Amino acid sequence: VSKLFKYFHYEDLFHTGYQRELTYKRRSGSYSIFGKSDSEGSMMLTAFVVRSFARARKYVFVDEDEIKHSIQWFRRKQKPSGCFPKYGKVFDKSLQGGLNSELTITAYVTIALLEAGFNKKTRMVSKALSCVTDNLTHIQDSYTTSLVTYTLVLADHPKSGLMISRLKNKAVSSEDGLIFWSARNDKLVATEEPTDYFAEKLRPADVEMTGYALMSYLKRNEQPKDIMKIVKWLSKQRNYYGGFSSTQ
């Protein structure tokens, strides 16, 4: 009985969250923190909602037309190059994680499309992947590396192996031998400062990029011992309630 109660309780929470999210939807199919009263939708928030709805439909009814409406907005905003522009406002900068460039926005939208069930050969996804792969040589930071790697691994792209190698090169080992990724690593390497990741608390973005790295490792069937080191590091970042400080 208790398990049944918990099931219906969580289902009710999913349904409430789904309905509340729809209040932020604009007529264009995009989403904004101000909903219809905003002058424009947000590319990042719309992709986030599409990802959330795509995952939630395993547990609660999600109107597929809602997802399709947002996909149509993506299609209208996509550039001839295949890239998706930084569009709309997000006032809480922590919500954006490392989504601060056209490349990372494009990778994030591509992930949303793939997780929503789009085939990598569809025109919109194929063009987006071309945008991403055309800019691989410009990638320097750990966040973009982890995000783009997961994008290409998820799409089973031929260049995913190259990005996995670059991802591994940016991995950091903790004092207890665990594996994670940190934006601080980029700064320390650039300035040649002594590497001390433990003098201050790691940022939520570090948890996010390590999460992307973990998903890439899992899909690529990397060494189980390395996967466990990442999992253990992530588990140590949980807060008192069992969750994580979130960028999204």
Side-chain angles (χ1 to χ4, degrees), residues 172 174-176 178-182 197-198 200-211 229-246:
V172 180
S174 66
E175 290 179 323
D176 49 0
L178 305 183
I179 299 174
F180 68 101
W181 282 259
S182 173
Y197 300 94
F198 315 103
E200 61 184 70
K201 190 175 181 179
L202 292 168
R203 302 182 310 159
D206 297 332
V207 173
E208 183 184 356
M209 69 179 80
T210 301
K229 289 178 181 179
I230 301 171
V231 171
K232 288 180 179 179
W233 183 86
L234 283 170
S235 68
K236 287 190 172 186
Q237 311 312 310
R238 290 181 298 178
N239 58 33
Y240 177 80
Y241 299 101
F244 298 89
S245 297
S246 176

Side-chain angles (χ1 to χ4, degrees), residues 22 25-31 36 46 49-50 53 63-77 113 118 124:
L22 289 175
K25 184 183 176 186
R26 294 168 46 76
R27 294 184 182 88
S28 63
S30 63
Y31 287 79
K36 295 181 178 65
T46 304
V49 171
V50 169
F53 283 0
D63 189 342
E64 291 295 325
D65 287 340
E66 299 292 355
I67 296 177
K68 290 177 182 177
H69 196 190
S70 297
I71 299 298
Q72 290 170 359
W73 184 76
F74 287 147
R75 186 175 286 111
R76 292 195 299 271
K77 296 300 179 183
L113 293 171
F118 273 68
M124 182 164 49

Side-chain angles (χ1 to χ4, degrees), residues 30 48 56 95 110 113 125 137 148 156 218 220-221 230 232 234 244:
S30 63
F48 176 74
L95 190 68
T110 305
L113 293 171
V125 177
T137 56
V148 168
D156 194 24
L218 287 169
R220 289 272 302 186
N221 293 316
I230 301 171
K232 288 180 179 179
L234 283 170
F244 298 89

Side-chain angles (χ1 to χ4, degrees), residues 45 56 108 139 147 162 168 175 203 213 219 240:
L45 286 178
Y108 192 74
I139 299 174
L147 183 67
L162 168 67
K168 290 179 178 179
E175 290 179 323
R203 302 182 310 159
K219 290 193 74 68
Y240 177 80

Side-chain angles (χ1 to χ4, degrees), residues 125-222:
V125 177
S126 177
K127 287 176 62 180
L129 287 170
S130 293
C131 167
V132 171
T133 54
D134 286 347
N135 288 281
L136 295 185
T137 56
H138 301 148
I139 299 174
Q140 300 294 330
D141 64 286
S142 295
Y143 184 92
T144 306
T145 299
S146 65
L147 183 67
V148 168
T149 298
Y150 179 60
T151 305
L152 298 184
V153 168
L154 190 62
D156 194 24
H157 194 279
K159 292 188 177 180
S160 60
L162 168 67
M163 289 307 299
I164 278 285
S165 296
R166 292 173 64 175
L167 181 68
K168 290 179 178 179
N169 288 336
K170 287 188 173 293
V172 180
S173 293
S174 66
E175 290 179 323
D176 49 0
L178 305 183
I179 299 174
F180 68 101
W181 282 259
S182 173
R184 295 182 63 206
N185 183 45
D186 306 322
K187 179 181 178 181
L188 293 168
V189 169
T191 59
E192 297 184 352
E193 295 178 8
T195 304
D196 181 6
Y197 300 94
F198 315 103
E200 61 184 70
K201 190 175 181 179
L202 292 168
R203 302 182 310 159
D206 297 332
V207 173
E208 183 184 356
M209 69 179 80
T210 301
Y212 282 124
L214 174 60
M215 291 190 290
S216 295
Y217 270 52
L218 287 169
K219 290 193 74 68
R220 289 272 302 186
N221 293 316
E222 295 294 328

